[in-house]
Amino acid sequence: MIKPKPAIHIMGENDPLVKRFWQKLMCQKIMKINGCTKQGIFYAQNAIIYPSSTHNPFVWYSHSGNHTFPSEADDVIIKFFKNNSKP
């Protein structure tokens, strides 16, 4: 059985390697496992956080680029790990 864990996903809307549809399916699966709400809340530019009934939120960062890592995501990742420390 897969245990809920806080998670973050960074995706490029125009990623030619990992199709947007595949990424959305995986994100929805993680959100279901984590018991996340269907309605997200603004977290940062390009990022939405989905609170969780199991206290394992999911952050979805979506940028308009491709399979490259956006440097703007650094601050979102730092914020995520500061707010979700390992017990």
Side-chain angles (χ1 to χ4, degrees), residues 9-37:
H9 181 76
I10 299 169
M11 69 175 269
E13 291 288 333
N14 297 300
D15 190 332
L17 300 175
V18 185
K19 304 297 182 204
R20 185 170 68 187
F21 177 75
W22 299 339
Q23 294 187 68
K24 287 185 177 188
L25 285 177
M26 180 54 67
C27 290
Q28 291 168 351
K29 182 70 172 178
I30 293 168
M31 290 168 63
K32 183 177 180 179
I33 290 167
N34 282 4
C36 293
T37 61

Side-chain angles (χ1 to χ4, degrees), residues 23-71:
Q23 294 187 68
K24 287 185 177 188
L25 285 177
M26 180 54 67
C27 290
Q28 291 168 351
K29 182 70 172 178
I30 293 168
M31 290 168 63
K32 183 177 180 179
I33 290 167
N34 282 4
C36 293
T37 61
K38 292 186 181 193
Q39 186 66 35
I41 303 166
F42 177 84
Y43 191 68
Q45 183 177 349
N46 298 324
I48 302 293
I49 188 167
Y50 294 87
S52 163
S53 60
T54 63
H55 306 288
N56 292 288
F58 179 72
V59 173
W60 195 336
Y61 184 100
S62 181
H63 62 94
S64 62
N66 53 30
H67 196 73
T68 59
F69 180 81
S71 61

